[in-house]
Amino acid sequence: MNSNTKSIKAFAPASIGNVSCGFDVFGLAVQAPGDEAIVSLTGSKSVIVKAVIGDDGRLPLDANQNTAGVAVIEYLKSIGSNQGVEITLYKNLPLGSGMGSSAASAVAAVVAINHLMSEPLKREQLLPFVMEAERVACGSAHADNAAPSLLGGLILIRHNEPLDIVSIPTPKELVCVLVHPHIEVKTRDARQVLKTSLSLKDGITQWANTAALVAGMMKEDYELIGRSLVDVVVEPLRSVLIPGFDKIKKAAVENGALGCGISGSGPTLFSLCKGMENAQRAGAAMQHEFVDINLESEIYISEVNRRGAYLIET
């Protein structure tokens, strides 16, 4: 890249939050879809969101309310700069989809501005700015979408304050399926259905599955991964917000998926599969179940994105 460039485009991928048993502690990046941001340096001292394309006019252009703008503002504060910035955001991720839409916008913008400012911060150091943008979007500065979109792969968020994240290796043949039905579940609403306490029995089951999923990933034990994709805490409460959930999950597993669950707060459902052939079969079965209840959907099938966000020269 030319160090004197004044404008750059960045891509940030969608992500699967929670990955079933890891509520607010696991996130997994996929190859596509994702958001793009063109960030340009200007002679002013303001951060401006010039345009948002693909959102049907639903997102704010006020930089203090837009996640891309918030991430850039917080970044510039941290490095003590009053550099003027203009952002054009391309929303390829549907809003309220459970695929980390708000995080991807912020990630793309902050990766771009860090490059334009000659990269004074390492990639991992950008995460707090994206988390602050998430706070504006949904009221909580969580990292389960922000971290994988920024860094790639499967990320464990061990602690938020102080921030402590761990990258977990994933098997080579692991393929992700995302099926997004044409309904919207807002993160705030999905959090409201959750309980504030759980039984010791459910806690033990969830902790065991969380640990086993890590072991399965590291040992490349696909059967263990499948047995571990069980959520007894959040899924039973949120699944009622997604029409046909139980039948769709059953169809996925019967057609080659290791396991199936809710991506983030939904309504997108995800499956993890061994190999592309199983993924295509499971994805088709999931979509067919949505068709049966008269719901249109999009499907995205890809290997794990181990790269995270990246720059595209304009």
Side-chain angles (χ1 to χ4, degrees), residues 57-79:
R58 295 169 62 191
L59 293 178
L61 292 178
D62 180 351
N64 290 291
Q65 298 298 320
N66 184 293
T67 59
V70 171
V72 170
I73 289 169
E74 294 299 319
Y75 168 86
L76 292 172
K77 283 181 186 176
S78 77
I79 64 170

Side-chain angles (χ1 to χ4, degrees), residues 12-15 30 32-36 52-56 58-59 90-105 145 178-187 263 265-269 296-300:
S15 52
V30 299
D35 283 356
E36 295 176 339
V52 180
I53 299 164
D55 70 328
D56 295 323
R58 295 169 62 191
L59 293 178
Y90 292 85
K91 286 300 301 179
N92 301 317
L93 283 173
L95 307 183
S97 62
M99 292 191 282
S101 174
S102 57
S105 298
N145 292 117
L178 289 167
V179 180
H180 172 241
H182 289 184
I183 58 174
E184 183 176 346
V185 175
K186 294 182 179 179
T187 301
S263 179
S265 57
T268 297
L269 301 186
E296 294 183 11
S297 63
E298 288 92 29
I299 185 169
Y300 308 96

Side-chain angles (χ1 to χ4, degrees), residues 250-298:
K250 182 180 179 183
V253 174
E254 288 178 347
N255 285 276
L258 300 170
C260 175
I262 303 170
S263 179
S265 57
T268 297
L269 301 186
F270 81 92
S271 289
L272 297 184
C273 305
K274 181 181 180 182
M276 189 61 70
E277 184 177 334
N278 284 326
Q280 291 172 339
R281 192 166 70 252
M286 293 168 71
Q287 265 201 313
H288 180 75
E289 293 297 329
F290 276 124
V291 169
D292 275 357
I293 56 175
N294 297 314
L295 265 182
E296 294 183 11
S297 63
E298 288 92 29

